[in-house]
């Protein structure tokens, strides 16, 4: 189900019978209609395997399931509900997946379509040893969350998000602290970036930059703050 952007910090989802979505607990701001909110203990669409992967990844961001109560499905008509989401005043950006995979940190997820398959990926799988180092430099750990399939994802960021295309003939370099997520057939690695940032006394993390190459899109926030 697509999300409707209400403003830069709020989105709305329309939920019908047989549909569900997952969101961070505490992210619901308001709703209309009959809605059931239940804690999710199975890691979303990925089931038990996804939950175990999240625990290994130390991604303990709690989720809740949002859906129309089962008892209303058989009543006349097609009851729908409207739910508004936001969290901490963070900017919200909506990503529409069309069968591809989004790589994003669990704490960046505001809400996502329940049809998407959720899992975890070892950082070394896309960037080798430097992918692992990247996780340590950015504070993101050795694993990241994956969402795959057809559906929408609402992610959070500081100061808004821009989408930068990644092409075979032109890699994109991103400050690791400004990285939000990426999608597509993308390789990522850390490279050193000794230069003007070090000369003006920025932190040691500024000595690295994240290089993304291949074919896809990277989402970059307008800030170096973590959530």
């Amino acid at each position: 189900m697509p999300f409707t952007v209400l403003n830069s910090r709020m989105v709305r989802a329309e939920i019908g019978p047989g549909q569900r979505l997952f969101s961070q607990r505490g992210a619901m701001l308001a709703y209309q209609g009959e809605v059931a909110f239940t804690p999710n203990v199975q890691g979303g669409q990925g089931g038990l395997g996804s939950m175990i992967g999240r625990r290994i990844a130390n991604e303990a961001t709690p989720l809740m399931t949002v859906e129309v109560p089962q008892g209303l499905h058989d009543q006349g008509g097609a009851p729908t509900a409207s739910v508004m989401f936001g969290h901490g005043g963070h900017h919200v950006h909506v990503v529409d997946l069309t069968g591809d995979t989004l790589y994003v940190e669990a704490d960046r997820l505001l809400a996502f379509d329940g049809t998407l398959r959720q899992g975890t990926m070892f950082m070394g799988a896309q960037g080798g040893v430097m992918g692992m180092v990247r996780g340590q430099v950015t504070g993101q750990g050795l694993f990241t969350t994956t969402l795959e399939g057809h559906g929408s994802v609402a992610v959070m960021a500081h100061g808004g998000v821009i989408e930068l295309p990644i092409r075979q003939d032109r890699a994109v370099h991103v400050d690791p602290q400004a990285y939000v997520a990426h999608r597509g057939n993308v390789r990522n690695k850390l490279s050193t970036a000794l230069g003007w940032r070090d000369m003006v006394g920025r932190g040691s993390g500024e000595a690295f930059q994240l290089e993304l190459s291949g074919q896809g899109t990277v989402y970059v926030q307008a800030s170096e703050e973590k959530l």
Side-chain angles (χ1 to χ4, degrees), residues 106-130:
D107 61 358
R108 294 279 185 177
L109 292 173
L110 177 66
F112 59 93
D113 200 312
T115 61
L116 294 173
R117 295 181 297 278
Q118 183 184 0
T120 55
M121 185 198 73
F122 178 53
M123 295 296 287
Q126 280 198 331
V129 173
M130 289 305 289

Side-chain angles (χ1 to χ4, degrees), residues 1 29 35 61 98 116 119 223:
M1 68 200 74
L29 299 176
V35 186
T61 302
T98 56
L116 294 173
S223 171

Side-chain angles (χ1 to χ4, degrees), residues 3 11 92-95 108-113 152-156:
F3 290 98
V11 295
V92 181
H93 187 79
V94 176
V95 179
R108 294 279 185 177
L109 292 173
L110 177 66
F112 59 93
D113 200 312
S152 297
V153 184
V155 299
M156 295 181 290

Side-chain angles (χ1 to χ4, degrees), residues 45-46 50 96-104 109 112-120 145-153 182-184:
Q45 188 75 5
S50 176
D96 296 314
L97 296 178
T98 56
D100 49 342
T101 301
L102 181 72
Y103 302 84
V104 60
L109 292 173
F112 59 93
D113 200 312
T115 61
L116 294 173
R117 295 181 297 278
Q118 183 184 0
T120 55
T145 296
T146 61
L147 294 172
E148 179 183 6
H150 294 264
S152 297
V153 184
H182 75 270
R183 65 194 291 186

